[in-house]
Amino acid sequence: GSVPSFGLPSFAVPVRGPYDPYGLGSTTFSTTASEQQQSDVISYAGNNDPSRVWLPEVVHHFAGYLSGNELACTLRLVNKATAAQFRGPQYATVRLSLQVPHHAFAWRWGGGGATRSLTVRQRKQLPCLTARSGNIANLGVLLAQADPTNPLEGPVMVAAASAGQLEVCRWPRQQGCPLPKDMFDAAARAGHKAVCEWLLDEGRLVHEGAAFAAARGGHAGLMDWLLARTAGAQQRDDVHLLIMVAAGCDLPALQRLHHPYIDGLPKG
């Protein structure tokens, strides 16, 4: 079909309803008198018709510059030929962790009972994936729903932090939401220094777990930055830190920390 389907990580949710503004899902088309007259004008224009540049090879070329969701929710709705050109499931599935055009998101998830077909687990995934996409307007659609899953809850902020979506992190905070305990670790492991800096500005103290998370994620520079700001650095668990560096970072980073640790061990 020409209408896109929305997918969560482990399942697809088919779109049902009137979201088909160009009649692409219809097998029959009605033509009014004005539309027939317009068709006659286009036929008369012949090669001067600017719509002739809408060639499949040209469309395929610039489609490569669109995100998968723009293609599924917008480009495929231009006309019937474009829908037929991009008819495979790889073009018709919307990945919610990526930016979703607001018109499509609001249509699918904005109506009453839009999440009724989802399991509880899937309802919890929906705002987290939307937070990862960085679209605050789409989170607002979910917030307006009478649904037990609140997009202002802690897991949503953690998801935003792990994706480096600083503005999405700020949005719940501006509405008085507390900062989740594992938000720092999520941002550090993914290497998002800007989110870590913001958390510091918000008064969240750096603990050594955040530096360990950065090391496990392979972000040696961020690890050093966090270690310099870690409360209680004198009681740092160097063995655990070395294990995390060995698991996530390169050999030079491990050697840089390993030699001072060995030299600091008691002799004899």
Side-chain angles (χ1 to χ4, degrees):
S2 59
V3 180
S5 63
F6 284 69
L8 292 173
S10 58
F11 65 95
V13 182
V15 170
R16 298 180 179 86
Y19 184 69
D20 198 8
Y22 299 98
L24 304 184
S26 174
T27 57
T28 61
F29 295 85
S30 61
T31 304
T32 64
S34 61
E35 288 172 339
Q36 184 63 53
Q37 182 180 9
Q38 183 181 19
S39 177
D40 293 339
V41 172
I42 291 175
S43 298
Y44 177 78
N47 291 336
N48 294 325
D49 176 16
S51 68
R52 289 175 62 85
V53 301
W54 196 262
L55 302 174
E57 56 271 24
V58 175
V59 176
H60 183 80
H61 176 74
F62 66 68
Y65 294 94
L66 300 176
S67 73
N69 291 334
E70 286 288 351
L71 196 161
C73 296
T74 304
L75 181 62
R76 294 180 72 251
L77 302 181
V78 169
N79 55 34
K80 189 176 181 181
T82 307
Q85 182 176 351
F86 299 101
R87 69 172 62 201
Q90 70 272 30
Y91 303 121
T93 299
V94 176
R95 294 162 181 82
L96 292 170
S97 60
L98 303 176
Q99 281 278 352
V100 179
H102 184 65
H103 65 87
F105 191 95
W107 172 81
R108 177 59 184 89
W109 303 110
T115 61
R116 189 176 302 160
S117 62
L118 304 181
T119 66
V120 173
R121 179 174 178 271
Q122 291 164 352
R123 290 186 182 188
K124 292 180 179 180
Q125 281 184 303
L126 178 58
C128 290
L129 291 169
T130 306
R132 291 186 63 85
S133 77
N135 196 314
I136 296 176
N138 288 348
L139 282 172
V141 171
L142 299 179
L143 183 61
Q145 291 285 339
D147 192 287
T149 302
N150 191 334
L152 297 179
E153 291 179 345
V156 179
M157 298 179 70
V158 172
S162 66
Q165 300 292 356
L166 181 55
E167 293 306 314
V168 178
C169 294
R170 286 174 172 158
W171 179 63
R173 186 61 171 164
Q174 291 167 352
Q175 301 182 57
C177 296
L179 295 173
K181 293 181 179 180
D182 50 350
M183 196 172 179
F184 224 133
D185 290 2
R189 178 155 184 163
H192 299 302
K193 185 179 179 182
V195 177
C196 294
E197 291 175 332
W198 174 75
L199 288 168
L200 276 175
D201 292 341
E202 289 293 306
R204 177 55 55 89
L205 295 177
V206 182
H207 56 89
E208 65 178 6
F212 296 162
R216 185 65 183 86
H219 310 290
L222 181 57
M223 173 196 70
D224 292 335
W225 186 85
L226 290 167
L227 286 175
R229 292 160 177 79
T230 299
Q234 301 301 323
Q235 293 78 38
R236 189 177 68 203
D237 186 350
D238 288 333
V239 174
H240 191 188
L241 177 62
L242 287 172
I243 292 173
M244 294 297 101
V245 172
C249 298
D250 57 15
L251 181 59
L254 178 60
Q255 291 173 331
R256 176 169 58 84
L257 292 175
H258 184 262
H259 291 309
Y261 172 73
I262 295 298
D263 293 341
L265 291 176
K267 306 300 180 182

